[in-house]
Amino acid sequence: MPKREAPAHQRPKQQNKYESKGKNKNNEEDDSSSRGQQQKRQRMERQKQQATGELKLEARKKWEELRRGDLDPEVRKAKMQEMMELIQGRIKEITFKHDMSRVVQTCLKYGSSSQRASIAEELDGTYLELSRSTYGRHILVRLLKYCPKQRRAIIGAFYGHVRKLVRHKDAASVLEECYAVYANAAQRWDLVAEFYGNEFAVFKDGSAEGSLEAVLAAHPQKRATILSALRATVVPLLEKGTVQYSIVHRALLDYIRHADAKERQEVIETMRELVVEILHTREGAQAGMLCLLHGTPKDRKAIVKAMKPYLRKICCEEHGYAVLVEALDCVDDTVFMAKAVLQDVGDMVGELLGDQYGRRVPLYVLAGRNAQYVGSEALRVLAAGDAVRAETSKKDAAQRQRELRASFVGAMAQWVAANARAAVFEPFLSQAVAETLVHEDGAPGAAWAAVRALLAADDETAMRVLTDAVANRVVTTCIKARDAYARDVLEALAADGAGRLRAAACAGAFPVRALLEAPATAQRTRQLLADAAGSIRDAMAGAERKRTFEAILAGL
């Protein structure tokens, strides 16, 4: 007889497999949490057994409160006093750990001048060691920032060790902070002079006007020794790619300036891919310009190709744009430059023209070495290299400029045609409008049509263009540059019976004076204004500035 199955309510309850997994998971989480807490307790016990263990634990607790940004100033002052009482006298023991380094940095940030001085005094004698520490170097940077009286001692601690420190991954950043931000001229010279040999690492002259040129002029017999020492420092840095520091840029510039042709060429070949990394400083940009100037056509193209992905940033760099200008000034292959540089510059010309430095590259292509657009420092370096450029570049400078301009002016003309209404009233943008119209080849195109349309618009718009301090310069420049522009302006102003021309003359507008002086429009302008002399005199009587009125009347 088969065995009967028990009723459902009497059967033993089976455990759901998913429920089992959930319980196991919860158990695992509980076990993991308990293990984490156990490890934390063990870690704290180990720290307590250290000589500074109790100090570190207590300091971290106080630091959590002290570093809060919303802390009341009086409360922070009290907390700071408690912290100083805790760590004073033992700061050297705790500065090389990452957590306690943060504690000391916070004390330097929020402490009073006397508390900061106390910390600096305790750390005196360890500055060199701190600079080489992964965590201690941050304390040294804070000391430089918050303790001005200690800067001389910190910088002095580096004397005799510069060549080693510049190769150290941690110390190099502190050395750069000293050199680029806090050192005076004499201290910068004492630091960089160590690249010239052991003699300069030991004996410091403290000269604020120190330079390698002065040293070589005073001691020409040391030239070979100095350049050999400089090369021994510079070449390993180039091979390692450690060229981001301005003190290294200064050393590179000195070497490229004074090395003979063969040694210079070897360094240029090594650094041509690295030029893009050094052009953010003045010395680095000048070193990059010299690499382009003295390099072979292959070197020059390699440097330009390396810069291509960063053109926007380079154009807007205070010093970097000059390297791009140098490339445009010495690379003979203008077809290559048009494809590698000018095509991209044309695509972003609207953005560049609004930037203080970015505008200089497109304006250089249009107007050449115009001191109004290109910085004086860049012009000086360009002019100093003309003799070398004459030997290393086969193409005539004027021809190179014409070819570059011809490949670029079309993009500028498109931008002017699209933006003339706003651009003619903006100081920076109006210069680009004027230079584009002056250098555009052939018959007047869409760019000039956009400007002429403003003069042919309603009376208010036309008078605003003619009398605005910025816009009238664009029109005046165009009248003086080309007879076709002068005739178009006169036609636009005379279209309504010369009413606009007379109104502009009575307003003392510069374009009217330019029309009277331009050979193509002088006679007709005089005829149209012949009966307006009285009105012009009446307007001049009430004007503060009378020179333009006087010139207009003299032209009649």
Side-chain angles (χ1 to χ4, degrees), residues 125-145:
T126 64
Y127 297 146
L128 194 61
E129 187 181 1
L130 281 171
S131 71
R132 293 171 174 154
S133 168
T134 303
Y135 308 112
R137 65 188 175 96
H138 299 294
I139 296 176
L140 207 52
V141 171
R142 293 280 185 172
L143 284 171
L144 286 166
K145 181 177 181 180

Side-chain angles (χ1 to χ4, degrees), residues 117-129:
S118 175
I119 295 173
E121 288 174 9
E122 278 199 51
L123 293 175
D124 192 13
T126 64
Y127 297 146
L128 194 61
E129 187 181 1

Side-chain angles (χ1 to χ4, degrees), residues 32 40 58 71 113 232 302 319 356 359 368 415 422 424 444 451 479 497 530 535 552:
S32 175
K40 184 177 179 181
E58 185 65 25
L71 203 61
S113 57
H319 306 290
Q356 179 182 2
R359 59 192 288 269
W415 176 83
V424 294
V451 176
I479 292 171
S535 300
I552 292 173

